Amino acid sequence: MLEFLGIFTTVEFYIAVVQMTTPILLAAMGGLIAERSGIIPFGMEGMMLMGTVGGVIGSGLTDRVEVGLLLAMLAGVFIAVLYAIMAVSVGANQVVTAVALNMGALGLSSLLYVLAFAGGKGEVIEDVIRVRAMPLWKIPVLGEIPFIGKVLFNQYPLVYLAFFMAPVVWFILYRTSWGLKIRAVGEHPHAADTVGIHVLKVRYLTLIVCGMLAGLAGAFLSIGAFNAWQENMTSGRGFIAYTSIVFGRWEPIGAFLGSFLFGAADALQLRMQTQNIQVPFQVMVAFPYIVTVIVLVLSGKSAKWPAASGEAFKRESK
Amino acid sequence: MQAKHQPRKQNLWQAFLEKSFNITIPVVAILAAFAISGLLILGWGSNPIAAYKAIFQGAFGSPNAIATTLTRMTPLVFTGLAVAYGYKAGFFNVGAEGQLYMGALAATWVGVTFTNWPGWLLVIACFLAASLAGAFLALIPAYLKAKRGFNEVLTTLLFNYIVMQFFAWSLRIDHPMAGVDEKWGLVNWFGIKDPTQPYPKSAFVAEQSWLPSVNSFLKTGFINSIFGGTHWYQASLAEPALERITLAPLLAVLGVIIVFVLMFKTTIGFRARAVGVSPDAARAMGINVSKTILVTALISGTLAGLAGAMEILGTQHRVMERFLVDAGFTGIPVALIGQLHPVGAWLSAFFFGALRAGANRMQITTAVPVAMVYVIQALTILFAIAGTTIELVSYFKKSRMTSLSERAEEERLSLENNEVLDA
């Protein structure tokens, strides 16, 4: 038990917490914008998966991380646009579409990886291919602060972006006219439509933003905290990001806290596994989900699930 | 159930409720998916015809291939039925994955605990345990939906992850086993791990609970006495694939028939479908909506739990980490491609099973990676739901054009029916 508590005294643990939070937070912020406009962002898992492979291909082929990030965003947007075509234009069931896209992204990411690094033609990639990963950016003065500097201000650029996104998303949703439009479309698409808001366009745009952020979240896994790619690299983090949104009751601050909770549980579990501590770490992993269910049940009807979320908008239907 | 007042044939309600299984959309979707994937394979530098031929051979080319296809499809049939039945009543069960795992865990638990029970009893107990586990898991989200209006997609999804962690935990706790001398605590009864080895795996369930295979069926005295002398009989006995084909695929067919009857021929199914079409209309007809949701979820969870039991008793005989990946989630597209019809679910599970069974052969003979199969599946789902959605929309448009008087007449009839319904 003492060993277990010992984890909390190490700086590495807190650095890991921040780093495990990052991909979840990035995706959750993208997903939140999409969900507030009325689209359940279940497809984030697929967007993130494509982001992981986009990042590794861009960085691996050009040896430039920026190219990797750009490709990761494009790859995420690719899935997002497919999602938008199905969920927004066709009006298909969003959850089913997302299941299909996540499955497709699982296959497509593997295919692209082999195509990029084995030149196609059925070669099997035996070794792990190492690519250039993001450097750590030390913030000048703040990075010198003893403990906090190491944990918060000597991190990867995407970490800063992720933590910066939470207030930005809040600001966009609640302090700008775009945010008002997004929320209107998510709550009362027909009312929004009658006042001249282009519902489908708003939903397309929010999904594209979601794709970009989820793509970056994926890239953080492959060329941020790590420098290589594995099949199914996200292993459910897209869903975790979604759960964070639910945990946060569809509010940016809440989703931020949710991501943090999941990130911390993830980091704790990893540290416990590497140090071979005999405390059932499954409890740690399940804990945030259990809390989420409790939050959901306790908040009851007051949870702000966007009223029109999951429903396709059809102009003529009433 | 509509004995007193026989409504006009095919009135609007029934046209929608009884909307029969439409095979055109899935077939077109599959063809379109293969066509587009074919272009991808061409771009890959391989021959799509050869690749598809390899999939076909890997799925049906030999007795062994057929056995693999049947093995792969069986859990998908049950999860597909689970999702389809729930969806018909407006209970979108995204939790089939967790229910399947709990079903498998429960079945294994019974199978490794009551090792001295006779086979028939043990099999029934395993199935019962699996159904209860699955049903219990579905019941909580159903309760929250029925009584407090929670979205079941969220809750069933969340339960998956909690359950998966419980499963992983249980795999690491020694299960009290006969013959192993140790002090067992209460916690051990929640564990499933085989205490005699270090890995997170359970012991094999007692052998008498393994579902009989075609091979063992052939060996029975009765069959032996009839066909014993034939050359065909001897050849079949020597065929190893027949040992892999068990009762499970047959039970899957039975499951399809039962769900079909339940869905279309019983009051329970009628109520479920009425709630699925419109809870308000169902309430107006005098149907107890929350009770219907609870019953539907119980049935859906039971089916998903049985999927896990089938896999354990029919194929793997023990649980381990990731023993069956994604069969629960795949139940969603299986149900939707199957047009939410039990027979359709069986057909699409068959299609998915065959694709997965044939994927390896495709990779070996034509150098197209197994991952291509995921793309084919994804495209099939996308085309199928796009087709279904567009068709439904046009159906609704048509339905709005029916005259008001016709509607009023139907409403009167359905209200008259409902006294019979709830009798």
Side-chain angles (χ1 to χ4, degrees), chain A residues 149-219:
Chain A
K150 259 196 180 157
V151 174
L152 287 179
F153 302 111
N154 191 10
Q155 284 286 10
Y156 302 105
L158 279 184
V159 174
Y160 303 127
L161 178 72
F163 282 80
F164 185 59
M165 277 317 288
V168 167
V169 167
W170 178 85
F171 186 81
I172 291 175
L173 279 180
Y174 292 107
R175 290 291 179 273
T176 65
S177 59
W178 301 335
L180 189 63
K181 279 184 189 171
I182 291 172
R183 286 183 291 136
V185 167
E187 294 291 341
H188 301 290
H190 291 289
D193 186 51
T194 45
V195 296
I197 299 174
H198 199 308
V199 175
L200 302 193
K201 201 167 105 190
V202 170
R203 289 185 171 173
Y204 260 88
L205 285 175
T206 57
L207 267 177
I208 286 171
V209 171
C210 176
M212 284 164 74
L213 288 174
L216 284 178

Side-chain angles (χ1 to χ4, degrees), chain A residues 15-280:
Chain A
I15 295 175
V17 169
V18 171
Q19 290 182 357
M20 300 314 284
T21 303
T22 299
I24 301 170
L25 181 55
L26 270 175
M29 287 304 136
L32 182 60
I33 295 181
E35 176 120 47
R36 290 306 288 265
S37 78
I39 300 290
I40 305 177
F42 270 161
M44 280 195 295
E45 180 74 14
M47 298 173 200
M48 278 179 83
L49 260 175
M50 291 298 284
T52 59
V53 82
V56 103
I57 289 174
S59 175
L61 295 186
T62 62
D63 207 29
R64 291 170 70 102
V65 175
E66 309 88 274
V67 181
L69 293 179
L70 198 69
L71 262 188
M73 282 200 273
L74 279 177
V77 169
F78 170 68
I79 297 291
V81 169
L82 285 181
Y83 193 27
I85 291 173
M86 289 297 293
V88 180
S89 299
V90 176
N93 183 301
Q94 297 176 7
V95 176
V96 185
T97 305
V99 169
L101 286 174
N102 294 340
M103 201 182 266
L106 184 62
L108 198 57
S109 58
S110 290
L111 292 178
L112 289 173
Y113 181 72
V114 177
L115 196 63
F117 292 110
K121 279 293 169 194
E123 275 173 63
V124 181
I125 301 177
E126 299 283 352
D127 302 318
V128 178
I129 291 167
R130 300 277 165 195
V131 299
R132 180 181 291 277
M134 241 172 269
L136 286 168
W137 277 4
K138 194 172 181 180
I139 307 275
V141 181
L142 295 169
E144 304 296 334
I145 307 173
F147 175 79
I148 296 172
K150 259 196 180 157
V151 174
L152 287 179
F153 302 111
N154 191 10
Q155 284 286 10
Y156 302 105
L158 279 184
V159 174
Y160 303 127
L161 178 72
F163 282 80
F164 185 59
M165 277 317 288
V168 167
V169 167
W170 178 85
F171 186 81
I172 291 175
L173 279 180
Y174 292 107
R175 290 291 179 273
T176 65
S177 59
W178 301 335
L180 189 63
K181 279 184 189 171
I182 291 172
R183 286 183 291 136
V185 167
E187 294 291 341
H188 301 290
H190 291 289
D193 186 51
T194 45
V195 296
I197 299 174
H198 199 308
V199 175
L200 302 193
K201 201 167 105 190
V202 170
R203 289 185 171 173
Y204 260 88
L205 285 175
T206 57
L207 267 177
I208 286 171
V209 171
C210 176
M212 284 164 74
L213 288 174
L216 284 178
F220 182 79
L221 294 171
S222 62
I223 58 170
F226 201 51
N227 60 357
W229 188 81
Q230 299 165 351
E231 199 173 289
N232 197 11
M233 195 164 194
T234 51
S235 58
R237 285 197 177 79
F239 290 116
I240 294 182
Y242 182 67
T243 313
S244 310
I245 299 171
V246 179
F247 173 88
R249 299 167 67 198
W250 295 272
E251 294 290 346
I253 309 301
F256 170 78
L257 290 176
S259 312
F260 183 74
L261 184 65
F262 278 98
D266 212 3
L268 189 60
Q269 178 245 129
L270 277 178
R271 302 295 299 175
M272 277 165 57
Q273 267 179 310
T274 49
Q275 295 185 13
N276 206 11
I277 293 175
Q278 297 301 322
V279 174

